[in-house]
Amino acid sequence: MSLEISMIVHERKVDVAFHVAPKECLAIVGPNASGKSSVLLGIAGLLNVDEGLIALGGRTLFASGRAIKPVNVPVHKRQISMLAQRPLLFPHLSVRHNVEFGPRSLGVPRTEVRKRAMGWLERVDMAHLADRRASELSGGQSQRVALARALAVEPELLLLDEPMAALDGEAVPAMRSLLAEVSQERTTVLVTHDLLDAISLSARAIVIEEGRVTDEGLTERVLLQPRTSFGARLGGLNVLRG
């Protein structure tokens, strides 16, 4: 599904526009408090957007502005899943019940719910812990289960907000490999500060600074031949002004 974004959030001084092609992974990079996570929250419907258009696969999720018929699709009907820094699993539920929660809340038949949950737990190599309580998992295991839970609802768009920031060094390579696999199967937007994550997971990247898009293009070009001071700092390059 293609994604078209034009978004203004006055309170957070965000004014961005960009697109993502079907099954493309777009990386969003930028300084802290530049508006990156606000963009993801706006797409997901978790942040009030003042003006703009958000369309997924030709289906309008949000529209507001002059001479535009207002549209604001509820969060649970947007067919979007978001994986954040913290897994935020239900600690009192088992691993399997955590993954089943999404499709069950959407009214998916019980047998299909179980099949989906176990299928995704197999994909993330967590099926052997399906009956363990979420509170008993390590950080890396919890994030794998959170990814399975996000994908069990079969979203048209996957949003990743620094998904590996809270993981220890040993868990990162396996999670990066897993995300590279699943991001090739669906349209994905990744917010990251990690140069390796951006290059290994995304085909294109945009730089957001002070709520505006200041650079965009192929990820390697944006990060290794930057046109902004932030891009140069992220890539460990020097800037010469002429």
Side-chain angles (χ1 to χ4, degrees):
M1 294 288 180
S2 62
L3 176 68
E4 297 290 335
I5 297 291
S6 174
M7 179 190 305
I8 297 176
V9 183
H10 295 307
E11 182 181 359
R12 303 201 179 188
K13 299 180 180 179
V14 169
D15 185 351
V16 300
F18 60 88
H19 75 281
V20 189
K23 294 188 178 181
E24 179 184 39
C25 181
L26 175 77
I28 301 179
V29 298
N32 290 331
S34 61
K36 304 184 302 297
S37 293
S38 296
V39 170
L40 291 195
L41 293 172
I43 295 171
L46 298 171
L47 176 69
N48 290 329
V49 176
D50 296 299
E51 300 177 45
L53 174 70
I54 302 172
L56 180 60
R59 182 169 62 101
T60 300
L61 304 181
F62 174 86
S64 179
R66 294 180 181 177
I68 297 178
K69 181 180 178 181
V71 176
N72 193 5
V73 175
V75 174
H76 65 284
K77 292 185 177 181
R78 294 198 175 198
Q79 295 181 284
I80 294 173
S81 284
M82 186 169 177
L83 182 65
Q85 295 181 26
R86 303 287 179 181
L88 300 178
L89 300 177
F90 301 116
H92 62 293
L93 296 182
S94 69
V95 165
R96 178 170 61 83
H97 287 154
N98 263 279
V99 180
E100 288 179 349
F101 180 84
R104 181 179 292 156
S105 66
L106 293 176
V108 176
R110 185 184 297 270
T111 55
E112 175 64 17
V113 167
R114 177 70 178 265
K115 180 181 177 181
R116 279 196 206 178
M118 293 309 298
W120 279 110
L121 286 173
E122 289 281 358
R123 284 285 303 272
V124 302
D125 195 25
M126 289 295 294
H128 62 293
L129 297 178
D131 295 323
R132 182 171 294 186
R133 281 180 178 257
S135 58
E136 300 171 355
L137 302 178
S138 68
Q141 291 171 335
S142 296
Q143 195 70 320
R144 283 173 170 269
V145 174
L147 178 60
R149 182 175 65 177
L151 295 172
V153 297
E154 298 185 350
E156 295 177 352
L157 174 66
L158 179 62
L159 304 177
L160 303 173
D161 190 4
E162 299 279 4
M164 290 173 281
L167 299 182
D168 59 57
E170 293 183 359
V172 168
M175 190 66 183
R176 183 181 290 125
S177 177
L178 180 59
L179 289 175
E181 193 177 304
V182 300
S183 64
Q184 292 177 357
E185 301 169 359
R186 59 187 43 76
T187 308
T188 305
V189 180
L190 164 72
V191 164
T192 184
H193 284 97
D194 192 295
L195 182 66
L196 183 56
D197 288 346
I199 290 178
S200 61
L201 298 178
S202 68
R204 282 195 313 118
I206 64 173
V207 179
I208 293 182
E209 298 178 278
E210 297 182 351
R212 304 289 190 277
V213 176
T214 57
D215 195 8
E216 62 180 304
L218 296 178
T219 303
E220 290 190 10
R221 202 285 302 156
V222 169
L223 298 179
L224 302 181
Q225 297 178 318
R227 296 173 181 168
T228 69
S229 296
F230 173 80
R233 292 195 301 273
L234 186 64
L237 303 175
N238 295 319
V239 178
L240 295 178
R241 299 188 181 278

